[in-house]
Amino acid sequence: MSRAPIARATAAILLASALAGCGINSIPTAEENVKARWADVQNDYQRRADLIPNLVATVKAAGAQEKSILVEVTQARAAANTVQVSGDDLTDPAKIAQFSRVQGAVGLSLQRLQEAYPELKSQANYTTLMSQLEGTENRITIARRDYNGAVQAYNTKIRTFPDAVGAKIFYGAKPMVPFAATTPGAETAPTVNFGNAS
């Protein structure tokens, strides 16, 4: 019996083992996980954007004062809807920063709206919508945290041996960009004054 078939079979097994250890399957899996977590972030921001028109309509029905804040909220929402980041853009820090900036502007305008309309707190529709928005903000925070965890796992995978070999050779993998706050003052919790402080 010839040793050549046995040598080829052994070489094939060794090659398959080497390739399995080089991230052939784990790199795309990690990349898809990052993209899925980014889709969750976008989904939660879309939920917030969908709630804003109802909130604005409720405030308009209650009174026409502070119209400039309503305009600001509407414009911030419109600006946020124009900035789209796809899964392929997750390696571009400028696009992630731009997305973060416009979403931060929406959050800031919603905070100003809440501060400007303390008398609306007693209206059921307003209270329900603000509660929905608060829940959505919490979802956004969790989705961003999950996305950043997936980015960290992916970036670590493409930089450590043996996965780094497959990441560079087969996929030309680049590090993904984590989500970071870009709104000025984002590191400080906002103070909300409903006009009833003593």
Side-chain angles (χ1 to χ4, degrees), residues 21-195:
C22 290
I24 290 296
N25 291 324
S26 63
I27 299 301
T29 301
E31 182 179 4
E32 290 305 315
N33 185 43
V34 171
K35 289 179 180 180
R37 297 299 70 78
W38 181 250
D40 292 343
V41 170
Q42 290 180 311
N43 181 51
D44 289 331
Y45 276 122
Q46 185 61 51
R47 175 183 161 82
R48 179 174 73 176
D50 292 343
L51 286 170
I52 289 173
N54 295 328
L55 181 65
V56 169
T58 301
V59 173
K60 279 182 180 177
Q65 70 268 27
E66 300 294 339
K67 183 178 178 183
S68 64
I69 294 176
L70 290 176
V71 170
E72 181 184 333
V73 170
T74 305
Q75 288 174 342
R77 177 185 177 267
N81 286 341
T82 63
V83 177
Q84 300 296 319
V85 177
S86 70
D88 295 332
D89 297 330
L90 296 177
T91 58
D92 186 349
K95 288 186 179 182
I96 298 295
Q98 181 186 21
F99 183 85
S100 179
R101 240 185 337 273
V102 296
Q103 294 299 337
V106 174
L108 190 59
S109 65
L110 286 171
Q111 176 190 341
R112 288 185 184 138
L113 178 69
Q114 192 171 16
E115 291 171 356
Y117 290 102
E119 68 277 359
L120 289 175
K121 196 121 168 97
S122 63
Q123 291 189 5
N125 288 343
Y126 178 79
T127 303
T128 300
L129 285 168
M130 287 309 292
S131 176
Q132 290 278 327
L133 280 168
E134 181 182 349
T136 300
E137 293 298 325
N138 290 336
R139 289 179 185 192
I140 289 169
T141 299
I142 291 167
R144 288 189 309 214
R145 184 194 63 211
D146 291 348
Y147 167 74
N148 283 345
V151 166
Q152 179 186 12
Y154 174 81
N155 288 347
T156 300
K157 188 172 284 294
I158 68 168
R159 294 181 63 209
T160 54
F161 185 80
D163 292 334
V165 175
K168 295 277 188 216
I169 293 172
F170 296 107
Y171 301 110
K174 296 178 183 173
M176 300 278 185
V177 180
F179 197 97
T182 58
T183 305
E187 67 282 354
T188 307
T191 56
V192 179
N193 180 3
F194 290 110

Side-chain angles (χ1 to χ4, degrees), residues 2-19:
S2 168
R3 291 187 179 170
I6 294 172
R8 277 189 234 135
T10 303
I13 291 171
L14 289 174
L15 180 62
S17 297
L19 288 175

